[in-house]
Amino acid sequence: MAQPSAAPTRRASGRIAVFWRVLRANRLSLAGFVLVVIIGATALVVLAAPHLLVPYGPLEESSARNAAPSWSHLFGTDNLGRDIYSNVMLALPLDLGIGFAIAGASLLIGGLLGLIAGFYNTPGTILGYTSVAILRVTDIFLSFPSLILALALTRVLGLGVGPSVLAITITWWPFYVRLVRGEVLSVKHLPYVNAARAAGVSENRILLRHVVRNVLEPVIVYFTLDVGTVLVTYSTIGYIGVASIYPGPQPEWGAMLAFYQQTGSANIYPWLVLAPGAAIFITVFAFSLLGDGLRDILDPRTRRAFVRASAAHEPPAEAPSAAAAPAMDERESDATGAIAATEARSAG
Amino acid sequence: MTDPVLDIQHLEITYTVGAGTFYAVSDVSLKIYPRQVVGIVGETGCGKSTLAQAIPRLLPEPPASIGSGKIVFRGTDLVQVPKRKLPMVRGTGIAMIFQEPLNSLNPAYRVFDQIAESIRIRHYREMGWVKSFQGGEVPFDYSKPALTTSVGGALTRSIVPDGAIEEAVRDRLRTRSEYREEVLRYLRLVRINDPETILNLYPHELSGGMRQRIMIAMALSEKPSLLIADEPTSALDVTIQAQVLTLMKELIDEVDAAILFISHDLGVIAETADEIGVMYAGRLVEYGPVAEVFRSPRHPYTKALLRAAPSRYKSDGPLSTIPGSVPNLSRPPPGCRFHPRCGLARPVCRGEPPPLAPVDGAAETEGRGVHRSACYFAEEVPGLP
Amino acid sequence: MGRSLSDLFVFVGKRLLQLIPVLLGVIVLTFIVSHLDLSASTLCHEWYFHAGANTLSNCEAKYGLPLPTQFWNYLTSLVHGNWGAAVSGASVGAEIDVRLPATIELVLASLFLMIVIGIPLGVVAAQYSGRFGDHIVRVFYLSGWATPTYLGAVLVAIFVGPWLGLPTSGEYSTVIVPFPQYTHMSVVDAILALNFPYTVDAIDHLILPASVLAFINMGIATRMTRASMLEVLPLDYVRSARMKGLGEFWVLYKHALRNALITTTTVLGLTAGGLLAGTVVIEEVFDWPGIGQYAYTVIGGGGSSPNFDGAIAVVVIFAIAVVVANLAADILYGLLDPRVDWR
């Protein structure tokens, strides 16, 4: 009596369909999605046609000094009359771009290595040894709190946006290795993949046609959430003062906040720190709202609860859940471990 | 005549999943009297497990919901009991043995802790420390919170009638070794050899049959007035099934509880139950004393089911199957739900659903031991092939 | 089944052995990164600039050696407990001895808050999954998640601290503490000295930095608890617990949470990295004399003078701390889950 059309497999449901199902079921995530779209659109407008949203230049000094927020200066001005709102707006495309650049580069590097480590783990072969080596190096990298390692790296690589982005990327990719490897292991031996194998499909073709396709969805979901996390880490490095110079032609939120806090006027003129602070908070919060809901389908444990709740199938009492076995099997616990590992570094 | 322990009246249960509604249990009425064993049999998905879990209100609501009807347990309609009061009924009032012994014990606690917990619950309730609903004479008092008194308060109150503090304390505060003794007693009751060892083991160190015995011990240790066994043997190996079934049969005589035995296995019901109810697609289609129902079934479905059973009731010829398939419960057929598959079906079967009426013109419509069937043509059933 | 005490020792010992290659890798990586583009001349120029000519030859002698030799020297001195020295000549090891306990105190305090607040919140979120209670809890932990540490710390230090009347700087209200610092953990030392006013003072100073650190990392504990509870709640044994007649509180916290904690523990161990990274900024903002503040200084935050050995030491110590925390979580997992065989 079950409806076959609603079979709750990840493969059967299209990615976009899943995406919408999650958003529909989870109003918080929907709010996050709307926010992310608004933020992204704003960033594009600032890039393409700054005069629409940015009334003053980043270093333009007006006569109103230390002015409180008003209609002419939405977030007030600093001690030289620079418009805080304009600086916050001008920083948006940079911060957002940095978030996407670091997370994207990490996804490419870590994803590729994770695929190798997860798929070609036959002991004794060259690729098998490579896999082991990848995992060991990953373990070592994961032992550093990424912020600390990134900070240390900026000492070596130098100051500025470019080196900081590179430094964070160097510390960031291992998370994707863990994530992708866990996901690969969890799909590698699914019945239909085994069936394809039995039917004589070559390993490389299985990797491309089945494994990559299935791994892509959770990885992209994770990527969404990660952009926010990267932003927090980058702005922390900006705050410590090794990434960006403020005031300057290209403002950055972390550096802005650090500048106004360290020049000591934040107590009297709170908008100086509240404005860039709120900008970071809202941006990251939007990505987190979106990603947190989406992650319910990423995490094997909530994924089950989610599938149970959202898919129309037999009444639960009549259909004892096969997934209820208390001991997680190895593949699944691997995926959980990966999630846990990636989860644990969110703070910056 | 004694009052029934459980009196289910016109119970309707639906599941709302997405946009669809499943009519899992429709218009089921059932009475169970003290020390009686009632068996419910039916195919997978006929609503018998839903029925079993609905009695102690264990179904997750939502998606399940009790549309109408009453579940009267010892004079109280459980459908009306607020959610936070329900624990009072469970355990000492209604206990349950589940289908999946493998997952029904908490993997983090030792056998001793889990059985002792059940005994402690009963003990606290017997002492009046915790409000409960077990004895039929005690009505529900909704105005009072579940936890009526503190331990100290209960002690002081108890001193007054007896007057002996030492005795009260000894009576009330049990030591671990006393709990141990009682746990051992129940482990022996379910015929576990070497209970001293089993006591200290974790569930994952036990076999399926062993775990089910412990589940049974746990249920019995609360001394319930109604015990629901929801397919207690289905998940076990055949040999273990037989052992557990034998145990259940022996215990039925020893235990002072009414028993509702749910199974898809006619043989199991035949060996254990006094009366049997046959469910099909959410409805009770036939009810009566086991011997009578097995000897002369009065519903076409029961007859077909007996013919399809691979066993001792019919020794020769090939097994028969029932033509057609179980209806989709989100769109059940109108009238008698069996009519699309029935050899006796006539236009009237598509109208009003047939009531569960006494067969052979028995005048009495209520009470025990009356053979009833929900078929307009119950007299013609014996003539079916 | 091997779950006797001796099996436990084997269990712990095995995991300790597995640490060695990871730690070695950490040290090698740190060493390589820190020596990556520093030639002896540039480094010693800096050194000369800060410390004067008399140490220049020493410096060139030390950093002029080939890299493997330098590494070997570093490793041997490390094995002997020598972490090197700053340009000013201050011993790195002495700083670490004093500062590490302060940081451990801060991290344990916030871990405590994460456990007593974050885990029950996760249970509540799972209990009301998809409903209002769930949404509230998620907004709460996601706000922590989305707050950069420095932002939270700065806002609390500037606005919340004065408002609540809590101190926002240092471990005690006075610089001169009238009792010996045996452990270098402010609260513990005050308790050991049986000095009640100082104990209260030390706790007051700990509240804000620990709360900020906990708030920012709360999401990890809450989210994991919520996820594990969502996994556990539909299981049969939770239903059996309910059927025993237990109230919902005991069903949730005794039966379901006990099992959900098994996975949450692992993740809490993994949060050590996040907590430690958080201390860098938090200790700087709250002037907490811990290793995070030291890291901020030696890595060059706020334009301080460079401290080459200090930077390596800090990175290695942070990595060791993460590895040890993971080990602790691993052992705790083995203790919590009776199905884990220790042999």
Side-chain angles (χ1 to χ4, degrees), chain A residues 25-29 136 139-149 151-157 178 225 229 232 235-237 239-242 253-255 257-258 261-262 266-267 270 273-274 276-278 280-282 284-286 288-289 291-296 299-302 304-305 308 317 321 323-328 332 336-337 339-341 343-348, chain C residues 21-27 29-30 33-37 46 130 134-136 138-139 141-151 154-155 158-159 216-217 219-220 223-224 226-228 230-231 234-237 263-264 266-267 270-278 280-281 285 295-296 298-304 306-308 311 314-316 318-320 322-323 326 333 339:
Chain A
N26 192 331
R27 262 173 273 160
L28 277 184
S29 297
R136 290 293 149 268
D139 277 350
I140 290 167
F141 268 92
L142 285 172
S143 303
F144 296 99
S146 46
L147 177 71
I148 301 291
L149 187 58
L151 278 174
L153 279 168
T154 52
R155 291 262 311 152
V156 177
L157 300 172
R178 280 284 279 274
L225 189 62
T229 320
V232 170
S235 71
T236 305
I237 287 178
Y239 174 83
I240 291 177
V242 291
W253 290 331
L257 211 152
Q261 194 239 329
Q262 279 151 10
N267 305 28
V273 291
L274 286 181
I280 300 171
F281 177 81
I282 292 171
V284 180
F285 191 65
S288 307
L289 275 185
D292 185 54
L294 292 181
R295 246 211 256 194
D296 273 358
D299 190 322
R301 291 158 309 139
T302 39
R304 253 191 243 133
R308 251 197 307 269
S321 63
M328 289 184 294
E332 204 148 76
T336 311
I339 304 289
E343 193 112 7
R345 64 89 188 270
S346 70
Chain C
V22 173
L23 281 183
L24 205 63
V26 161
I27 294 168
L29 189 67
T30 314
V33 164
S34 55
H35 287 70
L36 211 56
D37 73 347
E46 218 175 313
D134 188 20
H135 293 327
I136 291 287
R138 288 173 75 171
V139 166
Y141 76 71
L142 286 174
S143 334
W145 201 305
T147 310
T149 316
Y150 60 88
L151 179 64
V154 166
L155 290 183
I158 294 180
F159 302 110
I216 280 157
N217 292 284
I220 302 160
R223 212 205 123 81
M224 262 304 136
R226 175 178 175 273
S228 318
L230 281 180
E231 183 198 21
L235 295 187
D236 293 331
Y237 61 80
T263 30
T264 308
T266 320
V267 179
L270 294 171
T271 61
L275 286 174
L276 281 169
V280 174
V281 173
V285 172
Y296 186 86
V298 296
I299 288 171
S304 48
N307 182 343
F308 202 63
V314 161
V315 176
V316 169
F318 273 52
I320 291 176
V322 171
V323 170
N326 289 354
Y333 182 95
R339 286 164 296 193

Side-chain angles (χ1 to χ4, degrees), chain C residues 100-189:
Chain C
L100 191 57
T103 296
I104 291 174
E105 181 181 36
L106 178 62
V107 166
L108 288 183
S110 57
L111 201 60
F112 172 76
L113 289 176
M114 280 169 69
I115 289 168
V116 298
I117 299 173
I119 290 179
L121 279 181
V123 176
V124 168
Q127 190 186 354
Y128 299 106
S129 159
R131 281 177 283 165
F132 189 67
D134 188 20
H135 293 327
I136 291 287
V137 170
R138 288 173 75 171
V139 166
F140 176 73
Y141 76 71
L142 286 174
S143 334
W145 201 305
T147 310
T149 316
Y150 60 88
L151 179 64
V154 166
L155 290 183
V156 166
I158 294 180
F159 302 110
V160 181
W163 183 57
L164 290 175
L166 285 169
T168 58
S169 169
E171 288 183 304
Y172 300 104
S173 295
T174 52
V175 181
I176 301 132
V177 184
F179 47 80
Q181 301 277 295
Y182 292 119
T183 63
H184 294 291
M185 297 185 186
S186 57
V187 178
V188 177
D189 280 334

Side-chain angles (χ1 to χ4, degrees), chain C residues 43 47 50 133 154 200 206 210 217 227 235 256 308:
Chain C
L43 179 86
W47 190 284
H50 284 278
V154 166
V200 174
L206 186 57
N217 292 284
L235 295 187
F308 202 63

Side-chain angles (χ1 to χ4, degrees), chain A residues 18-20 22-24 26-40 100 220-228 282-298, chain C residues 138-139 141-142 145-146 223:
Chain A
V18 168
F19 186 74
W20 278 118
V22 174
L23 289 188
R24 248 207 345 259
N26 192 331
R27 262 173 273 160
L28 277 184
S29 297
L30 189 63
F33 180 66
V34 171
L35 266 177
V36 165
V37 169
I38 292 173
I39 291 168
F100 275 99
I220 286 174
V221 169
Y222 180 74
F223 173 82
T224 312
L225 189 62
D226 205 34
V227 172
I282 292 171
T283 310
V284 180
F285 191 65
F287 278 97
S288 307
L289 275 185
L290 176 63
D292 185 54
L294 292 181
R295 246 211 256 194
D296 273 358
I297 50 166
L298 226 186
Chain C
R138 288 173 75 171
V139 166
Y141 76 71
L142 286 174
W145 201 305
R223 212 205 123 81

